[in-house]
Amino acid sequence: MGTMTSTYRVQNPKTNKVVETFETISDADLERALTTADEAFSTWRETPLEERAAVLRKVASLFDAQRDELAAIIAEEMGKSVREGNGEIDDVVDIFTYYADHGAELLADEPLETEGGSAVMRKVPLGVILGVMPWNYPYYQVARFAAPTLMAGNTVLLKHAEICARSSQKIQEILEEAGVPAGVFTNVYASHDQITTLIEDPRVQGVSLTGSERAGRAVAATAGKNLKKALLELGGTDPYIILDTDDVAAAAKTAWKKRMSNVGQACTSNKRIIVMEEFYDDFVAEMVRIAESFDQGDPMNPQKGEYYPMSSRDAAETLDEQVKKAVADGATLHTGGELAEGSAYYSPAVITGIPVGSESYYEEFFGPVAEIYSVADEEEAIKLANDSQYGLGGAVFSTDEERAKRVANQVVTGMIHVNIPQARGAELPFGGVKNSGFGRELGPLGIDEFVNRQRFFVADES
């Protein structure tokens, strides 16, 4: 912790300067926040669905109206270009609108065929739900968790990443401006010990965490010990298989764009690009050419052909160490991988030949590194794709759709795509298997995670 009074801060990754610090919440204030959230639940759960939907729609319109300010906040906090920040706001608007539009039908009672009475399966809210959210998509990740959770009638405590101190507070302000009653959504600058305290508290009914595998294990252990529902969305080393292509340059351009989105800091980045040996050399050469065409850019004033800082100096140093270790293990760094002095800029890298099965091979490279593998045939591609401790997303490309579907069908992930890097949409469930976690966000499944599916049986009059 050093001499800083607080870990919550705005620290501009472009300069590594701490712009502002925030006090971690006191235990007394945290207890008050939890009490208020618990008390607010008793009225919010009785608020008609149409009223909840109206509030969610208002949240969407406020995000839309304030997008420039919101994008500027995260550009300073975690280095996202304001152009990508604007795209993130589009997703937030979609998510709140989706649950406003579909919440009532998704939460409707389901009749059950039975004898001796009538039965329905109800979806009843649980109470206070804790969200522990990451810095890579500061608004989108919270929307993904909070929109369905609130629509279902729960109340929310948000513990955001320490570097998202302004954006997390801004989210609370927007929700309150939209008419969410006090205590229904509360941002808390909580410490890790305080998170444990919250999960242990009987008033907290569940926890949703998006973050590292290490954080997931810690939260899941505490949740399990306290018999609390948990949803985990953790890391990924998503396979991206190109079986064949009639345009290597176009295939490389598509793969590159996906890999460098958000400066490579996405759970579902195509972290292992797997290509057939017959066009591997051409593909790698094309990726190197693209990588070398990029210049350092300013997140506040993005131009074409630029890369931006990673979220923090720490994150950039970690990635630099990972790449150096991979090279020491026998990999080839073709270009990039240069860590700037005194900032979080890390030049886009292309790396090949990481020995399959090595420690480096199994690690997630959370930043602008294109990792490319050569395979001889479909069988080897599938084997490589599944040789991962993670199972989040992935994609398979071929000019022959049936061939791509056949291969995709054998990839073990929560989400798999054919002939598109990743499909997007509030209606599409998101989540993984293996060490990528469990549970699903978004779509119809997202609103089912934090509800009591209650069997309600009324006997026939005899």
Side-chain angles (χ1 to χ4, degrees):
M1 296 267 299
T3 52
M4 279 176 63
T5 51
S6 159
T7 54
Y8 283 87
R9 65 202 179 278
V10 175
Q11 185 167 6
N12 190 335
K14 187 172 171 239
T15 60
N16 203 35
K17 295 276 186 290
V18 176
V19 179
E20 190 181 357
T21 58
F22 300 78
E23 284 300 318
T24 302
I25 194 169
S26 69
D27 290 343
D29 283 344
L30 187 67
E31 170 60 32
R32 266 191 289 279
L34 176 53
T35 301
T36 309
D38 188 47
E39 286 167 357
F41 174 59
S42 58
T43 50
W44 184 245
R45 70 178 299 173
E46 299 305 329
T47 304
L49 283 169
E50 308 80 75
E51 283 180 42
R52 287 185 219 154
V55 170
L56 263 60
R57 279 198 190 87
K58 181 77 174 142
V59 171
S61 72
L62 288 169
F63 266 97
D64 195 21
Q66 297 177 35
R67 59 173 58 236
D68 291 345
E69 182 196 346
L70 293 166
I73 289 171
I74 60 173
E76 186 173 40
E77 281 181 346
M78 51 71 66
K80 193 189 303 272
S81 81
V82 290
R83 189 171 54 225
E84 282 196 296
N86 253 293
E88 183 173 334
I89 301 301
D90 290 340
D91 288 341
V92 172
V93 171
D94 286 349
I95 291 166
F96 276 97
T97 305
Y98 172 82
Y99 285 109
D101 289 349
H102 298 281
E105 65 186 84
L106 294 173
L107 294 164
D109 292 351
E110 295 167 27
L112 300 169
E113 296 229 351
T114 184
E115 288 171 19
S118 63
V120 292
M121 192 65 84
R122 300 168 71 200
K123 292 177 185 176
V124 182
L126 291 172
V128 182
I129 310 294
L130 171 65
V132 182
M133 294 292 124
W135 47 257
N136 57 340
Y137 293 91
Y139 304 117
Y140 163 75
Q141 295 282 4
V142 175
R144 212 160 79 155
F145 154 66
T149 304
L150 293 170
M151 188 64 201
N154 300 294
T155 58
V156 164
L157 288 177
L158 169 67
K159 184 265 176 237
H160 216 316
E162 281 87 349
I163 61 171
C164 293
R166 273 188 198 153
S167 55
S168 58
Q169 200 49 42
K170 189 71 189 157
I171 297 168
Q172 180 177 329
E173 286 166 19
I174 285 179
L175 267 82
E176 287 177 352
E177 198 185 331
V180 169
V184 170
F185 183 98
T186 314
N187 174 50
V188 292
Y189 297 137
S191 68
H192 294 287
D193 288 347
Q194 287 173 322
I195 291 306
T196 302
T197 304
L198 284 174
I199 297 170
E200 287 171 348
D201 194 289
R203 290 166 293 183
V204 172
Q205 296 298 308
V207 57
S208 174
L209 174 130
T210 298
S212 68
E213 187 186 336
R214 191 176 52 86
R217 287 180 187 280
V219 162
T222 307
K225 210 159 46 186
N226 292 280
L227 303 177
K228 297 291 171 71
K229 171 72 196 267
L231 182 154
L232 303 178
E233 200 271 276
L234 310 175
T237 54
D238 286 9
Y240 184 98
I241 304 170
I242 308 173
L243 296 169
D244 58 76
T245 176
D246 45 25
D247 187 342
V248 172
K253 191 178 171 184
T254 303
W256 180 266
K257 193 177 169 200
K258 171 69 176 153
R259 185 61 188 103
M260 295 302 145
S261 174
N262 207 37
V263 197
Q265 302 167 118
C267 312
T268 52
S269 286
N270 46 345
K271 300 201 182 88
R272 292 177 301 141
I273 300 168
I274 301 164
V275 299
M276 292 295 159
E277 59 191 12
E278 57 262 30
F279 59 90
Y280 168 80
D281 290 340
D282 291 346
F283 183 87
V284 172
E286 193 58 33
M287 292 290 271
V288 170
R289 189 191 66 74
I290 301 171
E292 290 175 349
S293 73
F294 276 71
D295 298 310
Q296 255 187 46
D298 176 0
M300 289 291 191
N301 183 26
Q303 308 297 319
K304 253 184 116 58
E306 290 182 339
Y307 68 94
Y308 304 101
M310 291 177 61
S311 64
S312 67
R313 176 74 189 176
D314 282 355
E317 286 176 356
T318 299
L319 184 66
D320 188 44
E321 283 162 21
Q322 286 179 297
V323 170
K324 286 190 164 83
K325 183 179 186 303
V327 170
D329 287 348
T332 303
L333 179 63
H334 295 260
T335 191
E338 287 155 23
L339 178 61
E341 284 292 311
S343 73
Y345 284 97
Y346 185 84
S347 62
V350 176
I351 194 166
T352 63
I354 296 179
V356 175
S358 67
E359 220 175 289
S360 294
Y361 169 79
Y362 289 110
E363 280 191 0
E364 176 178 30
F365 286 37
F366 212 70
V369 178
E371 224 179 295
I372 310 169
Y373 297 87
S374 169
V375 292
D377 52 31
E378 283 178 24
E379 201 180 351
E380 194 185 347
I382 294 161
K383 190 174 171 221
L384 189 68
N386 291 333
D387 187 5
S388 169
Q389 288 144 9
Y390 296 108
L392 193 55
V396 181
F397 291 81
S398 172
T399 52
D400 174 355
E401 189 185 284
E402 288 309 310
R403 182 186 189 201
K405 284 182 352 194
R406 187 173 69 242
V407 169
N409 194 39
Q410 296 172 76
V411 176
V412 183
T413 54
M415 303 171 281
I416 189 71
H417 302 83
V418 170
N419 288 336
I420 186 175
Q422 186 180 339
R424 307 182 61 78
E427 72 285 356
L428 297 171
F430 188 108
V433 294
K434 299 197 270 191
N435 293 5
S436 292
F438 43 77
R440 292 294 177 266
E441 294 186 292
L442 300 178
L445 301 182
I447 207 162
D448 280 359
E449 289 288 347
F450 295 107
V451 292
N452 166 13
R453 294 186 193 80
Q454 185 185 55
R455 185 179 85 193
F456 199 88
F457 189 102
V458 180
D460 287 338
E461 290 177 34
S462 51

